[in-house]
Amino acid sequence: MKSNYLLIYFLLISTFGFSQNIDVSGTVKEKGTNIPITGANIKIKDGQKSTTTNFDGTFVLKGVAKGETLVVSFLGFKTQEYLISDNQGNLNIYLTEDKNTLEQIVVIGYGTQKKKEVTGAVSVVDSKTIENLKPIKVEQALQGTVSGVNVTSQSGAPGAALDIRIRGIATNGQNAPTAIIDGYVGDLSLLNPSDIETITVLKDAQAAIYGTIGANGIILITTKSGKKNSKTKFSYNSYLGIQETSRKLPLLNATEYALLLNERYANGGQVLPYPNVSNLGAGTDWQEEVFSKRPIVNHDFSLSGGSEKIGYTLSASNLDQEGIVGKDKSGFVRNTARIGLNTDLSSKIKFNSNVIYTQFSRNTLNENGLGSVLFNALNVPSTLTPYDNNGDYTLVPNTTGLGNEIINPLAQISNTYNDYKYRKINGKVGLDYKVFKGFEVSSSFGFNTSNSKSKVFNKKISYGGKVFDVNRSSVTQGSVNDNNFSFDLYGTYSFSLAEEAHNFTTTFGTTVFKEYGNGLFATGFDVPNNSWEFADISLTTGISDSKPNSSYNYDERRLSYFGRLQYDFKKKYLLSFMIRRDASTKFGPNNAVAYFPSATAGWVISEEGFLKESNFLNFLKFRASYGSLGNDQIDNNLYLGVLNGEATYVFDDTLTNGTAGGIIPNPDIKWEEARKLDLGLDFEFLNKNLSLTTDYFIDDRKDLLIKNVPVSGINGTGAPGSGAPTINAGDVRNSGLEFAINYKNKASENFDFSIGYNATFLKNEVMAVNNGTGYFEKGAFGVSQPIPTRMQVGHEMGYFYGYKTAGIFQNQDEVNAHPSQIALGAVAQPGDIRYVDINNDGVINTNDRTDLGSPIPDVTMGFNIQANYIGFDISAYSFASLGNKMIRNYERNLSDANRLDYVLDRWTGEGTSNTVPRVTTAATANNVFSDFFVEDASYLRIQNVQLGYTLKQDFSEKIGITKVRIYTGVNNLYTFTKYKGYNPGASSGDPISGGIDFGFYPLPRIYMFGIHVNF
């Protein structure tokens, strides 16, 4: 009976206890904007119950007991706590932005860390910055936003490649950093920028965990993913833009040109070509003829959400950009689609996947070279008309004064036919298994598979006896297949000792990587009807005496093992040790394996007693790192003798085409090695409103691979397809200082702003070139002139090598008093350029060539500002490069070619000019490569200005939309520079000859209007 009373008592108590439980509901919003926060975490303090907010910021948490505390948190916002009472109604919770960015999670490769615990040089660009910049390609989002990173364009043409350099040019080969997309090696340039959550840049020995692919730095891409326990969220972002050239060069008009030509011919003792110039007027503006305003359209659509155990995301995009040169003959269309899925298969096993499909097509014009469209537009005389009396394209005369390579650029555009189509699917699938508390095993399979098809049609055409005449039509078609896959398996074990005073995290694993592919190219002659519509090899009928096809295939593999130990004592003293072993088939048996160790350390000084209570200094950390990394981004099979050369043999008195040995092999070829030192400080001041990061770095690159090392011609290196061997013969050092400072302030409930500035001071020096000559040269200037750019000990990579000038000879006495310049091609006359006798031997000759500067900037800077007032937002991003120089090589040194208007300040008599030489048809030495053709290409570019307005939520919610933002902006608004060419920030991408300007395609200025809608 007593037991029955106890049972009844227990049931009453239990019923009373349950009757105190309530369901808590509410909405979580961002304070100030009232925008709902999706995916905020709601949990009971010190309890197990939890949930997340839906797409509209709402949540319901059932069975919460009176008196318990609700904890609401979301990354980037301050955590809030609420005490649950009896009469708890619907909660309205407002989260404020957390200025403590040190708590943010940073991806560091095979793991993550809190920012305050990172011991390497790491920078992060978030999705908000990417959205503000509206980059066409992801790489553009790094320019000016990350210290130590310089992004140069090879061209402003649609779809043109961009080059990323992290802390300078360190090798004469491949300088591009490796992109890791959600854990696998991928192509940064093909991503849709709107799919990216964060971009993390590893600049120092922190990248050593990636071994042979980390020497040039690592860029880690984290794509957006769906959040669990959230309703489906739709997002649409679109903009329409109008493009125009950001720069036109000041050319001579017809009258100015004719007067100049008359003077030139008169000085040469020849008959005046234009006896009457009064009716010429302005003539043809050839730049106006080739440039036009063209549209750009972009659409992004995404869908994301999740249930209790599943998070998903779907996205698609379309970009259509037409070229500002060539209209429909130049364009780029990109389509992408992505699907991401993360699933809790059980309490211990998680599955994640991300697959991306990319398709693009591109049409191009001849650019950045002798005879390119813009080269012709700059050199064709303005006295010529685009069309003749019959409506046909005017032929540029084939004369000594105009040469045989300058043609009508409009005819060139019209007769350009090509097409390039590319398709790629890439992604990864992975599993994470939580073995026991603190120990997790992760595996992933990443893959890239792509194929491309190209077609180039050369129409039978005559430009009047020019080198571009095509006497026989042809079509060249190509097909390329590239594939790679990687398998990663690694474990991470975290544990603490002595009441969490000593904290350890160990990571160890293996990576298998394989890349393989093939390419096939063929040419057919005599295209039916001489027409693009019939340009297909299957329809051609002609036969060629030369080899009309070629092919290649490759298969390379890499096997790696890696380990990392991270330790901290009370989050105050931080240590990390890494080692990686790589074995690669790109190297022979003698050097197939290499080891890459590194170490990083940190001291959180602000946790020490003497600073912990400081009201001014909120955070201070000292960082140091040193390590060894590798670079295997070289041509394949350099250690093997391969039969891929061409030769002609005699059989039975008949010449027969055949195969011969290719590039001479080097069985001892080995890895390039990077030894990186970094010393850094991280500060936060003024209630964490002001942050400063500064780093001093040294990057020593050893054993650079130097191509075409001089060897005896008896080896057959001069044969087609053959060549001199590649050896490890170079060393380069990059050292410098970089810092980034950011200030943000919420001045009031309605107004907040942030300002960012970063700068990088860089010194580049070649330390060794052991190839037998002491230098390696590359590039071209003019026609039949010595190679102008070099890699040489004691100089910067790719420095300009030529004659130094000292003004203009004003009279014959000055000529007589100066060392003879006849070795340069002509006897000097008053009005000619005066060259410096560098070695003081009394004669000007090739021994007087010297260092004229380089395209490597001394300082690069970024300045950015954002502000928000009520519903309005404004942002501006700028970038500056100081100290870089460029060779002006887009002017053809022929007597009758057009000129920029700086020649109006030419020497016409004593005292008239000391900068621009006289004009004449007689022989002079004024066109030899000298600093007359080298210009300061320093510049400041306003990259992006954007103004937006977000509709009040009360209004947008009435039509079922959670957010509506409309915006307008300008990309490449203006470039301040003294450089005469189109784009002072351009480069061909080559580390040695990249600073030669053949007429770089200008960056388009884009005026855009867009809308961003969430619902």
Side-chain angles (χ1 to χ4, degrees), residues 658-691:
T659 302
I663 294 174
I664 296 174
N666 174 13
D668 295 320
I669 197 168
K670 62 181 180 180
W671 319 80
E672 290 184 358
E673 182 186 6
R675 299 173 185 173
K676 296 176 181 279
L677 169 69
D678 186 277
L679 303 173
L681 287 168
D682 299 326
F683 300 85
E684 285 200 352
F685 307 93
L686 304 176
N687 195 27
K688 301 179 181 177
N689 283 321
L690 179 65
S691 64

Side-chain angles (χ1 to χ4, degrees), residues 511-529:
T511 296
V512 178
F513 180 81
K514 178 177 179 178
E515 57 180 354
Y516 59 98
N518 57 75
L520 176 64
F521 306 89
T523 301
F525 294 88
D526 300 334
V527 175
N529 302 318

Side-chain angles (χ1 to χ4, degrees), residues 536-547:
D536 192 274
I537 290 178
S538 64
L539 301 177
T540 58
T541 58
I543 298 174
S544 173
D545 295 331
S546 61
K547 188 177 180 180

Side-chain angles (χ1 to χ4, degrees), residues 611-796:
L611 281 178
K612 201 166 186 179
E613 302 302 323
S614 172
N615 294 323
F616 174 72
L617 180 65
N618 306 118
F619 181 78
L620 173 60
K621 178 177 65 179
F622 171 75
R623 295 178 281 102
S625 68
Y626 182 79
S628 173
L629 302 91
N631 183 17
D632 70 348
Q633 304 304 297
I634 63 172
D635 296 337
N636 300 326
N637 303 317
L638 293 178
Y639 71 96
L640 293 172
V642 181
L643 291 173
N644 59 359
E646 299 179 23
T648 302
Y649 300 91
V650 179
F651 294 102
D652 297 328
D653 297 326
T654 302
L655 293 176
T656 304
N657 293 327
T659 302
I663 294 174
I664 296 174
N666 174 13
D668 295 320
I669 197 168
K670 62 181 180 180
W671 319 80
E672 290 184 358
E673 182 186 6
R675 299 173 185 173
K676 296 176 181 279
L677 169 69
D678 186 277
L679 303 173
L681 287 168
D682 299 326
F683 300 85
E684 285 200 352
F685 307 93
L686 304 176
N687 195 27
K688 301 179 181 177
N689 283 321
L690 179 65
S691 64
L692 171 66
T693 297
T694 182
D695 288 86
Y696 172 74
F697 61 88
I698 299 176
D699 183 349
D700 285 324
R701 192 66 61 93
K702 304 290 185 180
D703 298 322
L704 300 191
L705 294 160
I706 307 296
K707 294 183 178 180
N708 300 317
V709 175
V711 295
S712 173
I714 199 171
N715 292 305
T717 55
S722 184
T726 297
I727 67 171
N728 298 93
D731 297 343
V732 172
R733 166 173 285 189
N734 283 288
S735 59
L737 177 70
E738 64 182 40
F739 69 89
I741 185 168
N742 293 280
Y743 179 75
K744 55 185 178 180
N745 193 347
K746 191 172 183 62
S748 69
E749 286 295 319
N750 295 324
F751 178 66
D752 64 87
F753 66 95
S754 63
I755 300 173
Y757 173 76
N758 64 77
T760 303
F761 300 84
L762 180 69
K763 177 181 171 70
N764 175 278
E765 183 178 1
V766 177
M767 310 299 289
V769 182
N770 300 316
N771 65 340
T773 64
Y775 62 86
F776 180 70
E777 57 186 8
K778 198 174 183 181
F781 175 79
V783 177
S784 302
Q785 291 212 37
I787 297 174
T789 52
R790 285 186 169 190
M791 172 185 177
Q792 187 172 356
V793 175
H795 301 270
E796 292 184 318

Side-chain angles (χ1 to χ4, degrees), residues 79-99:
T79 299
Q80 303 278 13
E81 294 186 359
Y82 290 85
L83 184 66
I84 304 303
S85 62
D86 274 334
N87 300 317
Q88 191 69 63
N90 191 62
L91 290 172
N92 286 311
I93 301 172
Y94 296 92
L95 298 185
T96 57
E97 183 182 0
D98 189 359
K99 298 175 184 176

